Structures are given as structure tokens and as C-alpha cells.
Amino acid sequence: MNLEQEISAILKEWGASYETEIGEQLIQFQKTRKDMEGDLTLLVFPLVKPAKKSPQMVGEEIGELLQQKLDFIVRFEAVNGFLNLVIADRYWLGRLNDIIADEQFGTASKRNERMMVEFSSPNTNKPLHLGHLRNNFLGFSVSRILEANGYDVVKTQIINDRGIHICKSMMAWEKFGNGETPSEAGLKGDKFVGKYYVEFDKALKIETAAVLNKWQEGDFGQAPEAVIEEYKKLQGVHDSKADDPKAQKGIADKIKKLVNNHTPLMQEVKLMLQRWEARDEETVALWTKMNNWVYKGFNTTYENIEVDFDKLYYESDTYLTGKEMVDLGLEKGVFFKKDDGSVWIDLTEDGLDEKLVLRGDGTAVYVTQDIGTAQQRMIDYPDLNGIVYTVGNEQEYHFKVLFLILEKLGYTWAKNCHHLSYGMIDLRNDKGEVGKMKSREGTVVDADDLVDEVVRMARVMTEERGHIDGMTDKEKQGLYHMIGLGALKYFLLKVDPQKKMTFNPDESVELNGNTGPFLQYVHARISSVLRKSDFEGNVELSANLENVEKEIIKHLAEYPEVIHQAGTEFSPAVVANYVYDLCKLYNSFWQNIHMLNEPDINLRKMRLQMSVQVAKVIKSATHLLGIDVPQRM
RNA sequence: GGCCCCGUAGUUCAACUGAAUAGAAUAUCAGAUUUCGGCUCUGAGGGUUGCAGGUUUGAAUCCUGCCGGGGUCACCA
């Protein structure tokens, strides 16, 4: 039984003497303010009512009672409805011994429940960028946090390997590639395919402009009647709105989209998609070849950022399951069919709109595929308790719809699905202007480049000030990578996921202050002193604690609760802030109190043991963030 | 326009989900440390928590209304 529980038990007895029941909700603890004496504070306000006395009087009454019953309460002070309790050192030393004895301190025991965490899931036409890094680090860290909370976790991603966008890069490679391979071009596979996707886009833009010109001159080529009519109608509206430039621009965009859709190039791509759906051998072979290039490139990046997956899902495997689910939903009456054959769900009663789940031509849309994937996952893992989807917050509406659909289809696990939503990353340039990342404007921060850059920075810093004599080159490389990646991961994870963040390439990845390398440094320093000392066994309960030492032990003791909170909130930021505070506390101790030349052997042992436990928790907490800590740096 | 998210020191972020004088980092200024690792530590200045009401013994936190920023409302993914 811990301290809070013992006090709660006494408070319940105390309540009984007033013939009131003291519920858990009325018993609230908090840390004692720094400028007050005490280790733990009980809020008296909620307890005032039953006693019908002033907060001050109730505080003193409870204080006396607690001191009488619990011998490790040394003193108490009641101030304005706050009861500050001073706890004896031997109590905290006892807690330290508990922590020493627990190898897996902080982590919960197995609960035999399985959770799936989906993250990454990139577009195969675009190399990974900074936004994906936030996604990957978040998803990976949440997986570890859930494991620490006792879940069995399956890390997964859905690979969007199907659809018209894939055909675009395939078409471009066929037209402009001359059979070139990534190695011939000296590019990573994902970068290579991305290059052709961009080339397609360029060609399409030029062609769209040309076709638009022709249409404006009345030359409609092979365009179908209905499209020409639509165009003329839009053009009419456009011309009539000469006085409203904003509306006119909107119409102009619609016209562009229409033209874009009927260029010869787009027609060709659509034919290619049809050939793919019909399993045309040549098309599928090209598709397979190019996808494998992409996967190879992605895997290099995943290895580099030390992220991995237990199970991969491919959209090309699950979209058909999705269509079957739609049929099933039609039978159940969850969905309905419109005259043109398209299938919908009516969510107006839930405060949303009608949503399309299958196109008029019978092909799958985004949500169809997600329904199918969810179903496939349940088949593969029948004991699955829930799925966490790590996806940007611009898709919040989509996931609301998806979860509602799953629920209406009758899946009980739908209520355990969670959209781990995170904010976008804006960029700040050297002029201080904030803007969005846009591939078209070349303002995307490439993931590989960024990792290289932070590793380079880590090398420069470490060569200047590090303790790396006697390391082999290979060990040094590993260390720079560990530090650089640690800086990047910590930077992206310390912020509450829901908040959007601003990234300045020049300033953002610092190695000082509230950063990953700061944590790594503290761990390395503790490791260093431990190499020079002995630290076995339990500590004596009779030692006297300095204030910082007590603070450190108190902070250590909170670790299990931190893991629990991080798990229920799916928030690595909780862990990050906790471990940072621990390191700061420890540094303050380090600066003021020496260990190795302390003459009192019990005191020396206690300090060394406490340091070992601090190092243990740093290692454990940073592990939850996907960050490694070194022995030396 | 409807719905969702965000607004806290110059800047980047906290605040245990309603508690005492809103905390860190960074930058600035002033100091410490020849000794276990200076990527360290101590201190100072810096705030009407976007604005206005309301609920409460008590509000950055909950409610209402504004203001500002972003997102989303596709037979795109």
C-alpha cells in the first residue's frame, strides 16, 4: 500500500465519524509548492462540507489524526485549505529500495489484450518528408508506450499501392524513362519514382494549358458532348461574374479541373488503371517493378530512423474486401443505393452528412478501402482490442465517418478505434515568415536529408567537446547517428501531438537545453561515474537526505503513473516532459553534491544507487520515445 | 456559412484535467565551478493566459458570445 492509499483509508474512517462517506473523488493530492515546507499536500476544500467547519480547522484536525496514525509523518501545516505533510526520509529511502528491487520499474504487467497501431502509410509517389517523421516517431513511440502498459502491440501500416496516382508515375516512366533504373540514375528508389511523378505532373500541366486554349477557340477534339456542355455552362458563369474576382477564380479552377480530366494524357492514364484492374500482365509487371523500387527506398529510410513494422497491409489486397463489406452493408440496410448505382450512408442523424462509400462505376473510394482493411485486420487478429490510427488532423472528419460506419456495420471493436491525430508542421524561413510545406513550391523538408543534417551537426558538436578517445570509427559513426536522431525524435515528440508545430531548419534541432542530447548526456555522465565505483545492494534507511535527493526520489516514484497517463492519452509528450524534469533535477544534484569522495559509506552508496536508478529510468523513458542513450558521448 | 482544432513571457513549449504567487527552455543580463564529464549549475528581468461576460470558496482549465489562425465539408487519396 502506498502513501496515498494509506492516507485515503484513514480519511474514510474520519468521514465515518461524521457519518459521511468520503468517495475517492473527494481525496485529492498534489505536490507541495516549492516555497512551502512539505512533501505532499492534501486538498482540504472538498472535505470541508461533511465536517461543517472552516477549511483551516478541518486541515488541522486531519493533520493531527494522520500524524497520530502514520509514524512517518513528521510534521504538518494547515494553510488555507491546504494540508502540507512532511514525510520522513526513511519513507523515501524505502521507496528507493522498492525501485531498486524492480527491474522493470514503471511498466505494467501483461494484460493479455492486443492493440494495433497504424502509422507511416505514405503515398508511394512521394519520398518521406518531415511530416512523415512526426507520424512515424509518434506511432512508434505510442506502440512502445502501449507495450509498457501491458498490451501486446502490432505495429502496422497500410500501403497505398493502388489507384490512379500510381499509374501516373508508371506512365511517366514509360514515356520519358528510356528504361532507366534507380541505380543507373544514382537515386534511392522512392526518390527515383517520385521524380517521374513530378515529371508527369509537369507534362500534364502543359497539356492542360494547351487543351484549354483549344477549347476556348472552340476546338473540342474528341471530348464527349456532356463534357463540352458542362464546359460551356461553366464558362458562361465565369464570364457573368466579372465583378466578383473571387468567385470567378473558383469557377476557373473548376474549369481547369474539367479540362485536366479530359486531356489525352489523363485518358491514357485512366486506360492504364483499367488495364491494371483487369490484371493485364504487362501493366501489373511494371506496377510491381516500380513499387519494389519504392519499397526498397522506403526501407532504407525506416532503417535509418530505426522504425519497424510487424505486419504490412496493401491497399491492393484489401480494397476488394471493402467492396464485399459494402454489399453486406447494403443487405443490412446500413447503406443505400442511388439511381446512378453509387452507394451511400446517411449520417445526418449523427450530425454528419451523407457519405459516398462506393462510386457509381463500382470502384472503391478511400473509405471503402479503410473498411476492408479494418475487416482484414480483425480476421488476421481475432483477439484485437482496438486500432490506433496515426494520421494527420486534416483527416479527423474521415475517421469520424469510418468509425461510425464500422459501428453501424455491427463491429463491437469499433468503439476501441482511436484516431491519433496530430497537427501539421509549418516551416519558418530565415526571414521569420511562416508557411506550409508544399512539394510544388519546393518547400518540403526531405526526411533523408534532414536526418543526414542532424547527424552531421551531432558529429561537429561531439568532435569539439565529446569524450570519444579510443572509439573506433564505426563506434563514432553509431554515436553521431544516435545523438542526431535522438535530437530529432525528441524535438518532434516533446510537443503535444494535437498542436501544430513550427519548424525552423536552422534553429530547431538544438543540442542544448530541452533536447534529446541533454538526456543522453546525463545518462552518459552517470554511466561514467558508475564505471569508477561500486554500487550494489539496498540502501540504509537511516541515511539523511538532502532536499534535491528527496526531490529526485519523489520524481522517480512517479514514473509508473506517467507511463499510465501517456498510455491513456496516447501521448509521448507526457513521457518526454517527465524525463526532462528528471534530468534537470539530477543535474542540479550533480552540481552540488559529490559522490565518490563522500566519506560516509552509507551516504555514498545511497547516492550511487540513486544515480543508477535515475539512469535506469532515463533509459527506460527514452526507449519509450524510440531514443537510445549512450554510455559515453 | 456548418462542424472540428488551436490561441499562455520576445520565441518554442509546460501546467497532474478546477486549486496557493501560471512554470521550464531559449535569447538577454549578472554570477559559480582548477577535482566524480562545462553539452553543467545559481540568480535577475520578461505575463491582464486573444477579448467580454457567466458558474464556483477557487478558472489558463468548465459554459456562452465575440476576435484571430488553421483544418474540413469531393464519385481525390
Side-chain angles (χ1 to χ4, degrees):
Chain A
M1 200 149 68
N2 68 26
L3 184 56
E4 283 86 349
Q5 286 165 335
E6 290 196 46
I7 293 176
S8 297
I10 293 169
L11 283 175
K12 280 176 187 167
E13 266 176 56
W14 170 81
S17 71
Y18 286 99
E19 292 173 4
T20 344
E21 194 169 324
I22 308 287
E24 291 291 336
Q25 279 194 326
L26 296 182
I27 304 175
Q28 294 172 33
F29 296 101
Q30 61 181 269
K31 281 183 205 164
T32 306
R33 280 183 63 92
K34 271 185 203 152
D35 48 353
M36 301 281 199
E37 195 194 12
D39 302 304
L40 185 69
T41 295
L42 176 73
L43 287 186
V44 182
F45 296 109
L47 304 169
V48 167
K49 246 186 189 171
K52 294 190 182 121
K53 292 176 187 169
S54 74
Q56 185 66 32
M57 288 173 70
V58 175
E60 289 184 17
E61 185 177 318
I62 294 175
E64 271 170 43
L65 182 70
L66 289 177
Q67 190 171 19
Q68 194 188 326
K69 297 236 176 190
L70 301 172
D71 58 355
F72 49 74
I73 293 183
V74 185
R75 270 190 303 284
F76 69 90
E77 191 186 7
V79 195
N80 307 323
F82 297 90
L83 178 60
N84 300 326
L85 302 169
V86 181
I87 314 291
D89 285 355
R90 69 170 186 285
Y91 173 81
W92 297 114
L93 289 164
R95 294 305 303 269
L96 181 58
N97 277 334
D98 296 343
I99 295 168
I100 293 167
D102 188 351
E103 266 313 305
Q104 303 297 317
F105 175 64
T107 60
S109 48
K110 284 262 175 207
R111 50 204 297 163
N112 290 318
E113 287 178 40
R114 194 190 293 278
M115 292 284 282
M116 182 175 268
V117 180
E118 177 191 298
F119 58 97
S120 202
S121 307
N123 179 332
T124 50
N125 275 319
K126 294 175 184 167
L128 302 174
H129 58 68
L130 178 57
H132 293 111
L133 290 181
R134 188 179 197 186
N135 181 309
N136 274 276
F137 296 159
L138 254 180
F140 190 74
S141 174
V142 165
S143 303
R144 286 198 167 162
I145 287 170
L146 290 177
E147 271 169 13
N149 276 284
Y151 290 100
D152 294 310
V153 176
V154 183
K155 300 186 295 276
T156 186
Q157 61 170 326
I158 175 78
I159 296 168
N160 296 294
D161 62 345
R162 183 204 73 91
I164 198 117
H165 57 291
I166 306 289
C167 293
K168 288 181 182 176
S169 45
M170 285 159 64
M171 173 82 34
W173 186 79
E174 264 191 347
K175 279 189 185 302
F176 319 123
N178 295 319
E180 189 186 38
T181 65
S183 54
E184 282 165 19
L187 285 171
K188 268 176 80 217
D190 52 332
K191 301 269 163 70
F192 180 78
V193 172
K195 185 181 86 171
Y196 283 99
Y197 185 66
V198 170
E199 285 205 15
F200 178 91
D201 219 44
K202 269 191 219 157
L204 181 63
K205 228 174 229 164
I206 293 167
E207 199 173 88
T208 303
V211 171
L212 181 60
N213 260 334
K214 279 190 181 171
W215 284 20
Q216 278 166 345
E217 286 160 11
D219 175 5
F220 291 99
Q222 304 288 313
E225 275 307 315
V227 173
I228 298 170
E229 220 168 276
E230 171 82 14
Y231 166 77
K232 285 181 174 165
K233 204 175 96 195
L234 284 170
Q235 192 64 48
V237 177
H238 179 268
D239 294 345
S240 73
K241 299 232 168 164
D243 52 335
D244 185 352
K246 210 175 154 190
Q248 210 171 25
K249 193 181 173 302
I251 305 288
D253 284 347
K254 276 191 186 169
I255 292 175
K256 222 183 212 168
K257 208 183 268 178
L258 185 73
V259 175
N260 177 77
N261 244 322
H262 291 87
T263 53
L265 205 50
M266 274 309 285
Q267 295 305 312
E268 226 178 315
V269 170
K270 282 182 186 171
L271 287 174
M272 186 182 237
L273 181 61
Q274 281 175 23
R275 286 203 303 279
W276 181 86
E277 296 225 348
R279 297 276 163 227
D280 171 65
E281 221 170 281
E282 208 174 304
T283 311
V284 170
L286 175 62
W287 174 77
T288 308
K289 177 163 76 181
M290 290 186 71
N291 274 346
N292 283 336
W293 286 339
V294 173
Y295 301 152
K296 204 174 164 200
F298 280 167
N299 284 339
T300 306
T301 304
Y302 289 138
E303 242 169 72
N304 201 26
I305 63 174
E306 290 166 11
V307 156
D308 60 10
F309 301 89
D310 304 310
K311 170 86 181 167
L312 300 181
Y313 286 91
Y314 297 88
E315 191 190 328
S316 56
D317 292 334
T318 59
Y319 79 105
L320 291 174
T321 314
K323 287 200 215 180
E324 286 165 22
M325 304 291 293
V326 169
D327 288 342
L328 209 75
L330 271 171
E331 273 172 41
K332 285 189 178 178
V334 175
F335 303 139
F336 67 93
K337 203 173 236 181
K338 288 194 177 175
D339 292 342
D340 60 1
S342 57
V343 182
W344 297 72
I345 184 165
D346 183 1
L347 296 172
T348 47
E349 275 180 22
D350 300 282
L352 307 177
D353 312 309
E354 285 185 357
K355 295 297 296 183
L356 177 86
V357 293
L358 200 67
R359 287 196 195 98
D361 63 5
T363 55
V365 289
Y366 186 34
V367 74
T368 324
Q369 169 265 124
D370 267 343
I371 298 169
T373 306
Q375 168 68 2
Q376 190 58 48
R377 286 169 175 169
M378 286 302 153
I379 293 170
D380 294 344
Y381 300 94
D383 58 342
L384 206 53
N385 273 82
I387 304 177
V388 177
Y389 293 86
T390 314
V391 183
N393 63 6
E394 73 273 13
Q395 295 201 30
E396 260 162 29
Y397 188 79
H398 170 77
F399 280 100
K400 254 186 215 166
V401 170
L402 175 66
F403 297 160
L404 266 172
I405 289 176
L406 293 175
E407 202 179 310
K408 285 176 192 288
L409 285 173
Y411 296 109
T412 50
W413 44 264
K415 65 179 188 305
N416 294 328
C417 288
H418 181 257
H419 176 200
L420 174 51
S421 160
Y422 61 90
M424 296 207 175
I425 304 184
D426 289 330
L427 289 181
R428 183 191 303 263
N429 62 21
D430 38 13
K431 289 177 204 148
E433 297 159 338
V434 174
K436 293 173 72 171
M437 279 203 290
K438 283 185 180 153
S439 45
R440 257 177 270 152
E441 289 162 25
T443 53
V444 167
V445 178
D446 180 78
D448 298 318
D449 293 349
L450 182 58
V451 172
D452 287 350
E453 174 60 16
V454 291
V455 170
R456 191 189 62 78
M457 282 167 67
R459 192 191 73 223
V460 172
M461 297 290 290
T462 308
E463 281 174 349
E464 264 177 32
R465 302 184 253 179
H467 300 246
I468 52 172
D469 293 343
M471 278 193 184
T472 65
D473 279 353
K474 201 180 165 193
E475 283 167 341
K476 284 181 191 170
Q477 289 307 321
L479 179 66
Y480 304 149
H481 189 258
M482 188 193 288
I483 295 173
L485 199 60
L488 191 55
K489 286 189 178 180
Y490 188 82
F491 176 78
L492 291 173
L493 289 175
K494 74 175 176 190
V495 180
D496 178 41
Q498 209 153 44
K499 292 203 174 177
K500 69 175 182 200
M501 54 194 306
T502 307
F503 186 83
N504 183 334
D506 297 328
E507 295 169 11
S508 290
V509 181
E510 297 275 342
L511 304 179
N512 296 321
N514 186 358
T515 66
F518 175 82
L519 311 177
Q520 291 170 324
Y521 177 73
V522 174
H523 185 269
R525 195 155 66 169
I526 295 175
S527 306
S528 158
V529 74
L530 295 179
R531 279 194 292 271
K532 300 171 185 167
S533 65
D534 51 335
F535 54 85
E536 288 298 307
N538 282 6
V539 301
E540 298 293 325
L541 291 182
S542 57
N544 278 325
L545 288 172
E546 300 283 336
N547 219 18
V548 228
E549 293 166 344
K550 195 157 74 175
E551 290 304 319
I552 291 173
I553 296 172
K554 276 197 254 180
H555 201 71
L556 284 174
E558 285 167 29
Y559 187 46
E561 176 53 31
V562 167
I563 289 184
H564 178 75
Q565 194 196 341
T568 53
E569 293 177 14
F570 304 101
S571 176
V574 171
V575 177
N577 287 318
Y578 167 82
V579 70
Y580 171 64
D581 284 337
L582 178 64
C583 288
K584 224 164 17 129
L585 268 176
Y586 187 81
N587 268 346
S588 171
F589 159 80
W590 175 278
Q591 196 70 21
N592 298 310
I593 296 169
H594 279 210
M595 283 182 277
L596 294 186
N597 51 7
E598 166 61 48
D600 180 337
I601 187 162
N602 282 337
L603 217 44
R604 194 165 75 226
K605 189 167 151 192
M606 189 278 292
R607 288 174 182 165
L608 286 166
Q609 261 295 15
M610 189 184 76
S611 301
V612 175
Q613 301 316 308
V614 170
K616 181 168 94 180
V617 170
I618 291 174
K619 196 178 168 99
S620 162
T622 49
H623 174 81
L624 295 182
L625 301 174
I627 296 172
D628 272 337
V629 287
Q631 298 290 316
R632 300 165 58 192
M633 69 188 277

